[in-house]
Amino acid sequence: MSDVPSMSLTIGAATLGDLDDAAELFDAYRQFYGQAAAYDAGRAFLQQRLERGESVILIARREPEAVGFVQLYPLFSSVSMQRIWLLNDLYVSESARRTGVGTALLDAACEHGARTGGRLRLELATATTNTAAQQVYASNGWTRDDVFMHFQRNM
């Protein structure tokens, strides 16, 4: 993905060379959701996703630091017979919140989806208590699903 400049912000697709920065953000993201710090395990997890081509990670940078990321997983809709993207992870470092980084990452994710055959839609889920994220999504044109009820079963 080519870098997208925005007020000294760049967003680009992560490579293995970005793994340390991505892992640091990923660890902070997981801690935000109540998980214990696990930098090494998170780094290994992201490395597997990148090496296997199982996800796309976009990193936002305000040089010299990485300030946010989004991770997308490819899915498919059988009914429409099209690719969709699951926006599974979005995180902006505390120091960069309320500066447009989240919006820029959402825009970059949409651009990536459109470029790679995910023209049907992007999907995401967030905690019901994460009202700040819900406001960002709503203000950027994302709509809440009122058609489907989602279920899950722990294995």
Side-chain angles (χ1 to χ4, degrees):
M1 172 180 188
S2 63
D3 287 344
V4 180
S6 174
M7 300 178 294
S8 75
L9 181 73
T10 58
I11 299 176
T15 66
L16 290 174
D18 299 304
L19 198 50
D20 291 337
D21 286 338
E24 186 175 317
L25 291 165
F26 187 67
D27 195 40
Y29 164 75
R30 293 184 66 258
Q31 290 178 57
F32 177 83
Y33 278 105
Q35 300 300 306
Y39 174 85
D40 291 337
R43 187 181 190 284
F45 178 84
L46 294 180
Q47 183 173 351
Q48 286 180 342
R49 301 297 72 74
L50 290 173
E51 286 177 345
R52 297 175 182 173
E54 294 174 339
S55 75
V56 172
I57 300 169
L58 306 177
I59 296 183
R61 295 182 182 280
R62 268 206 188 106
E63 292 303 333
E65 70 178 305
V67 295
F69 83 101
V70 65
Q71 184 164 208
L72 304 165
Y73 291 97
L75 300 172
F76 296 89
S77 167
S78 298
V79 173
S80 66
M81 297 181 295
Q82 294 184 44
R83 179 194 301 258
I84 57 177
W85 285 95
L86 172 64
L87 192 158
N88 202 68
D89 311 310
L90 172 71
Y91 180 78
V92 176
S93 63
E94 283 190 51
S95 64
R97 291 183 188 154
R98 300 189 184 276
T99 66
V101 174
T103 294
L105 282 165
L106 289 170
D107 290 346
C110 289
E111 290 170 15
H112 174 80
R115 249 191 353 273
T116 57
R119 298 186 196 289
L120 182 61
R121 68 179 176 267
L122 268 74
E123 295 182 355
L124 64 79
T126 192
T128 56
T129 57
N130 193 348
T131 56
Q134 292 169 33
Q135 290 173 351
V136 170
Y137 302 142
S139 69
N140 282 283
W142 291 71
T143 57
R144 188 173 171 179
D145 182 357
D146 292 327
V147 176
F148 295 100
M149 182 172 292
H150 296 272
F151 294 86
Q152 66 183 31
R153 178 177 172 183
N154 293 334
M155 304 303 275

